[in-house]
Amino acid sequence: MAINKDRYLQLVTELQDNKVSLVAVSKTKPVQDIMALYQLGHRDFGENYVQELVSKQAELPQDIRWHFIGHLQSNKVKYIAPFVYLVHGVDSEKLLLEINKQGVKAGRVIPILLQVHIAAEETKFGFDTTELTALLQPEKLENLKNARIAGMMGMASFTSSQERVHSEFEGLKQMFDHYRDKELPNADFNILSMGMSGDYTTAILCGSNMVRIGSLLFGNRG
Ligand SMILES: *Cc1c(COP(=O)(O)O)cnc(C)c1O
């Protein structure tokens, strides 16, 4: 139940050298573990479940930046809208519209990342290229003033083939660059969230600037 402090400090140095930010994925882990990293100066934490996030947020220091990285259901957006720092897994227009609506209610602009489906597996969520093209039209984004598109997020296939992971991440980087160069209202492609404990070095090689790392820091989840 203890955090891996040496691994954390090593990782921080490695990521700083590459100008990559670190989201420490604390899902299923106790608040004590989060506090241990907090005391080392860490502020960005990622959670997958709304209820767990809401209760941890209430209990822990208010300057933590909470990233929601799981699959978010539209009917649960309201619980995290007042405080969430970044929603990584926005995978439908319906969800984006709901986040905008809850952003209006909460009186804030909620930064989000569009999740893109890059893995071979059917089970991973995300937009495909056709859906992205359909969504990313100026007239669609114009009114979404309270849900700001800050970039993209993707998860590679769960495979031992580094070659395959590499090509999936590269594909996402190309898509990211394509949209970064466009002028779209309420969108600003600055963040490319890709890479987890098992594949973050490959992700960084492919241009990631935000990694989401859990088990390397907190140990395996039971
Ligand atoms: C759990 C999770 C992570 C962290 O996974 P590790 O392999 O423990 O680093 C990253 N991203 C998402 C979306 C996750 O659900």
Side-chain angles (χ1 to χ4, degrees):
M1 240 184 47
I3 62 153
N4 191 339
K5 183 179 170 185
D6 292 341
R7 197 66 188 81
Y8 171 71
L9 297 174
Q10 195 188 332
L11 191 59
V12 164
T13 312
E14 181 185 348
L15 296 178
Q16 268 167 2
D17 291 345
N18 288 290
K19 299 193 165 56
V20 172
S21 37
L22 170 64
V23 177
V25 177
S26 48
K27 64 183 173 208
T28 77
K29 297 295 174 182
V31 291
Q32 290 82 351
D33 287 1
I34 297 176
M35 277 314 292
L37 270 199
Y38 181 90
Q39 267 142 16
L40 295 174
H42 202 73
R43 292 296 179 270
D44 289 87
F45 292 90
E47 292 283 338
N48 283 52
Y49 310 102
V50 169
Q51 265 180 343
E52 184 179 348
L53 170 54
V54 167
S55 72
K56 283 174 171 172
Q57 191 270 342
E59 202 174 330
L60 287 162
Q62 294 303 299
D63 63 342
I64 288 180
R65 296 187 289 258
W66 291 106
H67 297 245
F68 190 82
I69 64 168
H71 180 65
L72 183 57
Q73 288 170 287
S74 297
N75 61 355
K76 295 201 170 154
V77 174
K78 56 179 179 283
Y79 301 114
I80 63 171
F83 66 84
V84 71
Y85 179 74
L86 181 64
V87 180
H88 288 233
V90 176
D91 61 355
S92 73
E93 189 175 341
K94 179 181 170 216
L95 178 58
L96 184 59
L97 291 172
E98 178 63 19
I99 292 172
N100 183 64
K101 184 176 147 191
Q102 296 301 331
V104 174
K105 275 195 188 169
R108 59 184 294 248
V109 176
I110 302 172
I112 68 104
L113 305 179
L114 298 173
Q115 183 168 359
V116 184
H117 186 276
I118 54 171
E121 292 114 74
E122 278 292 317
T123 48
K124 292 201 172 128
F125 297 101
F127 289 99
D128 63 28
T129 43
T130 316
E131 293 165 335
L132 266 189
T133 313
L135 174 70
L136 293 173
Q137 302 296 330
E139 59 277 15
K140 277 208 175 162
L141 303 180
E142 229 152 48
N143 297 320
L144 299 180
K145 294 193 189 327
N146 291 72
R148 180 165 196 80
I149 299 173
M152 287 176 169
M153 177 267 210
M155 290 169 85
S157 294
F158 187 68
T159 167
S160 57
S161 163
Q162 281 310 298
E163 228 166 85
R164 173 172 208 159
V165 170
H166 195 279
S167 87
E168 289 173 357
F169 281 149
E170 260 187 348
L172 182 55
K173 173 67 159 73
Q174 276 168 16
M175 240 181 283
F176 176 77
D177 287 344
H178 171 77
Y179 284 108
R180 192 173 46 183
D181 293 341
K182 291 196 168 208
E183 283 285 326
L184 288 167
N186 301 311
D188 209 339
F189 287 82
N190 290 318
I191 300 174
L192 180 56
S193 167
M194 55 183 199
M196 323 190 347
S197 292
D199 58 17
Y200 79 91
T201 41
T202 306
I204 292 169
L205 281 176
C206 295
S208 165
N209 60 22
M210 184 176 277
V211 294
R212 310 172 310 272
I213 294 185
S215 38
L216 263 188
L217 300 172
F218 296 108
N220 289 326
R221 290 173 295 273

